Amino acid sequence: MPPAVTLASAATAGGFLLVLAIILPAAGVLLALAFGRHAERIALLLMPAGFAIAIAILADVWHSQASLVAVMGGWAPPLGIALRADGLSAMMLVTTALVICAVGLFARGDFGMPAGGGEARAPLVFWTMLMGVWSALNAIWLGRDLFNLYVALELLTFSAVPLVCLDGRAETLAAALRYLLFALVGSVLYLLGVALFYGAYGTLDIGLLAGRVRAEPVVWVSAALMTAGLLAKTALFPLHLWLPPAHAGAPAAASAVLSALVVKGSFFLAVRLWFDVLPGLPGVPAAQALGTLGAAAIIFGSVLALRQERLKLLIAYSTIAQIGYLFLLFPLSTGAAAAGIWGSVAWTGGVYQLVSHAIAKAAMFMAAGLIGEALGHDRIAGLGGIGRALPMTIFAFGLGGMSLMGLPPSGGFVAKLMLLTASVTEGQWWWAVVILLGGLLAAAYVFRVLAPALAGADEPLRLCARVSRRREAVVLALAVGALLLGLLPLRPSELLQIGRPAAPTAIMR
Amino acid sequence: MSAETLYGLCAAALVGLGLFGSIVDPQPLRKILAFNLLGGGVFLLFGVIARRGAAAGMAADPVPQAMVITGIVVAFSATALAVTLLLRLFETTGQATLRTGAPARPDPDSDRAGS
Amino acid sequence: MRQVLDIFTVAAVSAGALFFLVGTVGLLRFPDPLTRLHALTKADNLGLGLVVLGLLPQAEGFLAGVKLVAVWLLAQLAGATVTQLVARAVRRGGPPA
Amino acid sequence: MSTGFALDAGLVLDAGLAALVLAVAVGAIVAGTAFAAVVGFVTYGLLLALVWVRLAAVDVALTEAAIGSGVTGAVLIAAAARLRPAEARSAAERPGVPLRLAAAVLSALVAAGLAMLVLLPSAPAPSLGPAAAVHLPELAIGNPVTAVLLAYRAIDTLLEKIVLLLALLGVWSLAPDRFWGGAPGQPHAAQQDGALALLARLLPPVGIVVGVYILWVGAVAPGGAFQGGAILAAMWILVMIAGLRDAPATGGRRVRLLLVVGPAVFLAVGLAGFVVADGFLAYPASYAKPLIIAIEVVLTLSIAVILGLLASGPPGRERQR
């Protein structure tokens, strides 16, 4: 073969794993559409394989202590597109695989194909969209090309929106439509920024761009547009209005995916934009603004969560608050802080929050789903005595809640501790106040659920449906995972440093 | 002023117009339409960038042009999905509106959890 | 010879443009949908026809000429159909707003 | 005639076109009824297609005219007609003055920022054109846009096919359960003698030839799978609207296979690249052109079916078995 066609030089040996991580679920989408009645089986068969691929990538990155790279079709950037797995990507791949597999096991009860062997609407849509979400997220974790990431972002939107209104009720239809409109405007703003970057620097490859960007108007405008678009998709306050009805109205298994993973996709791109594309640009005012919005989200989301009467809405509002924490990593690890060790700690804390919230929130939404199934409603006032009926589920909910509050030894504890320490050490103490206040409010809303649930009922509890022990066990296992995350904090933070852009140096004048 | 600059300014105005319409218009259908207008402006900007990148005997840089083709197809899919959602909402409730801002009102009649 | 053809082109295209102008004025000035359709078809038929006719001598080769004629024919087909549909809709219940 | 005059005439044309596009766009935003707004939008799309020709992007012009204006316009017009009873009520919910003002300021800022960037271009404008041109002979492809879509950035195109399929499934997912697998829409009253039916009989033979030609020519000149597929889809939609042919059942085996065959073949060729070339979506040197054309043929088929079904809406009838 003439070498001219193939420019693959930067690709690493494990590169095919990166391709498979995206392509395997995508192939699942095609298979599920072609052989509709086997959709569930196809999805469940692909899950162990997808999980194994994620683990293999993690192991490869860990052992080689370097990023994995794949160059699509041998066409090196800037003409072609590359995929790259650094420590952060590997961690997100494994988190995603974990949550998706747990949701898959959980959803077998809700979305089994009918016994007659025919194809039914809700199961086919659910399993296919779940594969779509997985493929899109993996493409986002691995993407190195801003336009390729736009396509992945759209893939994510199109798989997520139908999950919101699977039951076809009017409220969920309206919620899905509002979600879609927010998401569409968000991605078109992102695309606008992509166009500007291409027009100024002639490449969309993150690595190449990082070497070419200068502090000039085009960079500010496109970074602002892209960030605004991504915030709308992440539901950061004050662009959060679409989230609670959408996440609370979806079926529990879908809520878990939406709240745990889908909103993280666009957040992750914001992190990539500011830390990988624009490292070292003095974005201090922008970072402080993002931090302020995050702080507002923590307070506002928590207070609203406290005032909800429905369990699923409470959990959805808590997602808004927990998203707020993620944005604290911007003020704490850019600018002057970036160079020091504490900037790095804050960054790690933010990523930790990403992972631990994903796992904890998935467990809590699924727990809420089981509670709703058993009681036939999800009014918080009517939870009395459920703790005795579904002890495993309530325990799992409580464990997830510990992570939200930031109690040791949960993953949330480690994340919030890192953010807290960084903010105190860097002299940005005001964020520490917000973190502590958010923890207290989280404790309040979690106990608002646990208190009636653990108290005895006035009258004997009548359950509408039996809840399978297997599904309870899945939820509990995931919640325990969120807890255990706090016990192994050191190694992952080393992992996260692999392939991280070098601490910003003076690109700037 | 060159043709590219002219169309670039046109694209900027279209983006502003589309953004305004998609925020302000109360009718979902017209929000969708404004989103398409906004998309048209963004694509046009790509086209201007492509034309400015004319080189190597090509009248324009083919890479942004290809991106626009991908983008137009994605925008159409989005429109089809959004319109179908809207029509379904209309069939179900008899109205086509999103009461933005109103937090979901707990409905005493429906005891169904969302699961 | 070349000059004669050029003059023919200018004359025919100008005449076509005139029909477009007249058709547009009619579209704007006529009182009801049916008469407006009438004005519009003139622009479509004669206007486009004359423009195509005028451009024929300028076409590069036989195939390009065929394409031009095909454009005119397709526009005719579409125009006739749409006119029919609009007229029928008008007879059924008036125009949309 | 001097070239200077020709350039100026071109610029006058461009200025007029840009002004017209803007005017129509303003009209579509401020129009009194949704129907008028949609008509404005379709006009906007067609004018934009002309702009694309002026920007030396004939491929995009074809796509914009067929999909951006044509099929999108059909979907929007149908929706505007259906939603007319609800229009007055939802139009009354205008947001308050502060929000409108804030939105206006924000939009104006964005537009002004973009305009500023347009006016200060970086010189020289960066371009991947030369890089794209260098490899065209190896691929034996003459149209650089096709080379970008199916070779250099093939992964985008592949993922975007999955986006289309998921959008279609999303549309279907909105059907009531009892209609699952059935055909979209209401059965058409077969009024096969109307003018529309005549058009639907006369046009498709021409349209199909044009669609196939555009697909075929895509390797060397403007055209390709999207554009060809969109034209084929338009012909199919016309036949369905005219009531000559009913939309197929969405659960039918053949429909499902047609939907996925394009992306599936694309994916399979991509994976084969691991074995026969060096990596995903790499083509063996001397087989690049036949492989790309093969992929385009099946993609055209799938795109036509997906677009046609996307425009037809969710299943609306029970499935006959």
Side-chain angles (χ1 to χ4, degrees):
Chain A
M1 183 175 318
V5 178
T6 54
L7 302 169
S9 50
T12 48
F16 74 98
L17 285 173
L18 310 188
V19 173
L20 285 186
I22 298 171
I23 289 308
L24 204 69
V29 169
L30 297 180
L31 287 172
L33 261 177
F35 308 102
R37 77 181 110 122
H38 301 296
E40 182 184 11
R41 204 165 307 149
I42 292 164
L44 289 173
L45 279 174
L46 285 178
M47 279 177 188
F51 194 80
I53 291 170
I55 295 288
I57 293 174
L58 180 79
D60 208 333
V61 170
W62 181 248
H63 279 293
S64 63
Q65 289 288 307
S67 301
L68 293 185
V69 178
V71 177
M72 298 294 95
W75 304 104
L79 186 58
I81 292 172
L83 304 176
R84 179 165 171 267
D86 53 14
L88 175 61
S89 318
M91 192 140 165
M92 294 316 297
L93 284 171
V94 172
T95 308
T96 311
L98 190 69
V99 172
I100 296 259
C101 291
V103 166
L105 288 177
F106 175 86
R108 280 175 68 195
D110 287 334
F111 294 106
M113 282 289 173
E119 169 190 307
R121 186 187 66 92
L124 175 67
V125 174
F126 176 80
W127 293 108
T128 313
M129 294 299 169
L130 190 64
M131 295 289 102
V133 166
W134 199 1
S135 180
L137 285 170
N138 285 353
I140 288 174
W141 314 141
L142 296 172
R144 290 299 282 179
D145 180 282
L146 292 180
F147 186 80
N148 186 242
L149 285 167
Y150 162 76
V151 179
L153 209 51
E154 292 294 43
L155 190 57
L156 189 62
T157 304
F158 284 86
S159 353
V161 168
L163 287 175
V164 169
C165 54
L166 263 182
D167 65 2
R169 283 179 302 139
E171 304 104 88
T172 62
L173 288 171
L177 182 55
R178 194 176 310 150
Y179 174 23
L180 180 59
L181 290 174
F182 261 93
L184 288 180
V185 173
S187 29
V188 100
L189 288 179
Y190 172 87
L191 186 61
L192 194 51
V194 172
L196 294 176
F197 269 127
Y198 186 89
Y201 303 113
T203 181
L204 293 174
D205 182 77
I206 290 180
L208 292 175
L209 267 180
R212 295 185 193 177
V213 287
R214 293 186 305 268
E216 54 184 340
V218 64
V219 170
W220 302 129
V221 174
S222 50
L225 289 169
M226 291 169 89
T227 309
L230 292 171
L231 295 192
K233 296 187 88 130
T234 312
L236 179 66
F237 177 87
L239 299 171
H240 63 280
L241 286 174
W242 59 266
L243 185 142
H247 286 193
S255 306
V257 174
L258 294 170
S259 235
L261 298 175
V262 171
V263 285
K264 309 293 167 49
S266 37
F267 169 76
F268 182 89
L269 283 191
V271 171
R272 278 275 190 249
L273 174 66
W274 285 96
F275 290 89
D276 287 38
V277 180
L278 311 170
L281 286 203
V284 176
Q288 290 291 327
L290 286 176
T292 309
L293 291 181
I298 294 175
I299 305 297
F300 187 81
S302 302
V303 168
L304 277 177
L306 206 49
R307 293 177 48 192
Q308 296 307 310
E309 289 162 26
R310 297 268 173 146
L311 182 56
K312 289 190 78 184
L313 272 172
L314 179 147
I315 305 175
Y317 274 102
S318 112
T319 294
I320 291 175
Q322 297 291 320
I323 287 171
Y325 285 100
L326 297 174
F327 283 87
L328 295 186
L329 86 84
F330 288 98
L332 291 176
S333 53
T334 53
I341 176 90
W342 290 108
S344 185
V345 167
W347 190 84
T348 310
V351 174
Y352 237 82
Q353 165 72 5
L354 193 63
V355 173
S356 62
H357 175 252
I359 299 177
K361 192 45 70 74
M364 290 174 83
F365 256 124
M366 291 195 284
L370 291 181
I371 293 170
E373 200 172 290
L375 290 178
H377 69 82
D378 73 338
R379 285 192 310 273
I380 295 167
L383 290 179
I386 188 73
R388 210 161 298 158
L390 300 175
M392 268 156 88
T393 303
I394 295 299
F395 186 48
F397 187 90
L399 290 184
M402 283 174 68
S403 205
L404 299 194
M405 293 179 239
L407 287 186
S410 67
F413 164 69
V414 178
K416 280 150 200 167
L417 186 67
M418 285 177 167
L419 289 170
L420 195 71
T421 327
S423 59
V424 173
T425 325
E426 289 173 19
Q428 304 192 45
W429 52 268
W430 49 91
W431 307 124
V433 175
V434 175
I435 293 169
L436 289 174
L437 193 59
L440 283 177
L441 285 167
Y445 63 69
V446 170
F447 280 117
R448 240 197 94 207
V449 176
L450 289 183
L454 295 174
D458 307 335
E459 52 202 271
L461 197 66
R462 287 213 335 268
L463 297 187
C464 306
R466 265 182 56 84
V467 167
S468 102
R469 287 272 170 259
R470 179 182 57 78
R471 299 175 75 197
E472 279 200 280
V474 170
V475 177
L476 185 60
L478 204 56
V480 169
L483 194 74
L484 290 184
L485 202 60
L487 296 178
L488 48 145
L490 289 173
R491 310 205 92 195
S493 64
E494 278 169 52
L495 171 72
L496 288 175
Q497 299 306 317
I498 301 175
R500 220 191 129 189
T505 43
I507 305 175
M508 303 299 321
R509 273 153 304 197
Chain B
M1 186 183 282
S2 68
E4 294 88 73
T5 311
L6 204 64
Y7 288 125
L9 294 177
C10 180
L14 289 176
V15 167
L17 201 61
L19 192 60
F20 177 74
S22 54
I23 297 174
V24 163
D25 207 299
Q27 299 181 53
L29 183 67
R30 299 189 62 168
K31 274 189 199 289
I32 298 168
L33 196 143
F35 155 76
N36 271 293
L37 239 144
L38 167 59
V42 175
F43 298 146
L44 192 53
L45 195 66
F46 269 103
V48 169
I49 288 164
R51 185 77 171 111
R52 280 184 173 164
M58 291 186 193
D61 183 350
V63 174
Q65 293 189 346
M67 290 174 186
V68 171
I69 293 182
T70 304
I72 289 177
V73 178
V74 171
F76 167 68
S77 326
T79 307
L81 182 59
V83 162
T84 314
L85 260 171
L86 175 59
L87 288 175
R88 190 84 185 99
L89 183 67
F90 173 63
E91 278 167 21
T92 314
T93 63
Q95 47 184 327
T97 151
L98 299 170
R99 277 168 301 157
T100 42
R105 195 162 39 89
D107 185 353
D109 293 334
S110 99
D111 262 357
R112 277 182 66 187
S115 57
Chain C
M1 185 59 199
R2 185 75 247 170
Q3 228 159 15
V4 176
L5 285 180
D6 282 353
I7 290 171
F8 171 75
T9 297
V10 171
V13 173
S14 306
L18 188 71
F19 273 103
F20 268 107
L21 186 70
V22 170
T24 312
V25 169
L27 179 70
L28 294 175
R29 300 284 302 182
F30 280 160
D32 62 284
L34 290 179
T35 47
R36 285 178 178 180
L37 281 178
H38 168 77
L40 205 54
T41 46
K42 293 301 153 292
D44 248 19
N45 277 333
L46 285 167
L48 188 62
L50 282 169
V51 169
V52 166
L53 192 67
L55 289 178
L56 274 181
Q58 311 289 332
E60 290 164 7
F62 177 71
L63 263 179
V66 172
K67 272 188 202 165
L68 276 172
V69 174
V71 166
W72 181 64
L73 283 176
L74 286 174
Q76 288 291 299
L77 184 61
T81 313
V82 171
T83 311
Q84 275 270 340
L85 291 177
V86 173
R88 198 177 294 172
V90 168
R91 211 168 54 187
R92 228 184 295 134
Chain D
M1 265 177 238
S2 75
T3 26
F5 174 75
L7 275 178
D8 285 350
L11 202 58
V12 169
L13 178 63
D14 288 325
L17 201 52
L20 206 55
V21 166
L22 272 182
V24 172
V26 171
I29 293 290
V30 303
T33 64
F35 194 86
V38 174
V39 171
F41 173 75
V42 173
T43 320
Y44 166 80
L46 290 174
L47 289 171
L48 222 46
L50 291 182
V51 172
W52 285 112
V53 176
R54 296 291 304 162
L55 287 172
V58 181
D59 287 283
V60 184
L62 284 169
T63 314
E64 172 68 41
I67 302 180
S69 169
V71 192
T72 306
V75 167
L76 288 175
I77 285 201
R82 289 265 297 281
L83 292 172
R84 200 172 300 152
E87 196 173 324
R89 203 160 147 198
S90 64
E93 296 177 357
R94 295 184 71 185
V97 174
L99 180 75
R100 293 218 303 273
L101 205 64
V105 169
L106 180 74
S107 311
L109 270 178
V110 171
L114 290 178
M116 173 195 75
L117 295 176
V118 166
L119 291 172
L120 340 144
S122 56
S127 172
L128 288 176
V134 166
H135 300 291
L136 287 180
E138 299 153 24
L139 293 167
I141 291 286
N143 180 1
V145 175
T146 301
V148 176
L149 284 173
L150 284 138
Y152 311 143
R153 301 186 64 96
I155 179 95
D156 282 348
T157 311
L158 178 58
L159 286 181
E160 181 241 11
K161 289 298 157 313
I162 311 283
V163 169
L164 267 178
L165 281 175
L166 289 180
L168 180 61
L169 187 62
V171 166
W172 287 356
S173 79
L174 296 165
D177 274 322
R178 65 181 187 283
F179 295 152
W180 186 253
Q186 312 297 321
H188 285 285
Q191 32 155 258
Q192 304 197 349
D193 53 339
L196 193 59
L198 181 69
L199 183 70
R201 284 201 180 88
L202 287 177
L203 199 55
V206 183
I208 289 169
V209 170
V210 172
V212 172
Y213 168 76
I214 282 187
L215 156 70
W216 181 249
V217 83
V220 292
F226 277 127
Q227 300 89 323
I231 292 174
L232 295 183
M235 292 304 122
W236 189 33
I237 293 169
L238 176 62
V239 169
M240 287 192 286
I241 291 179
L244 294 187
R245 277 272 195 292
D246 218 351
T250 55
R253 173 47 52 92
R254 205 173 340 145
V255 167
R256 292 291 177 84
L257 285 180
L258 279 174
L259 287 177
V260 300
V261 65
V265 168
F266 199 172
L267 207 152
V269 173
L271 285 175
F274 276 128
V275 186
V276 297
D278 51 20
F280 185 64
L281 288 169
Y283 305 111
S286 44
Y287 293 96
K289 185 175 183 180
L291 280 175
I292 287 178
I293 289 184
I295 292 172
E296 285 220 288
V297 169
V298 282
L299 274 186
T300 306
L301 213 60
S302 290
I303 289 170
V305 177
I306 296 173
L307 292 180
L309 287 171
L310 266 178
S312 307
R317 286 173 264 166
E318 279 181 38
R319 184 166 183 199
Q320 272 111 39
R321 285 170 200 273

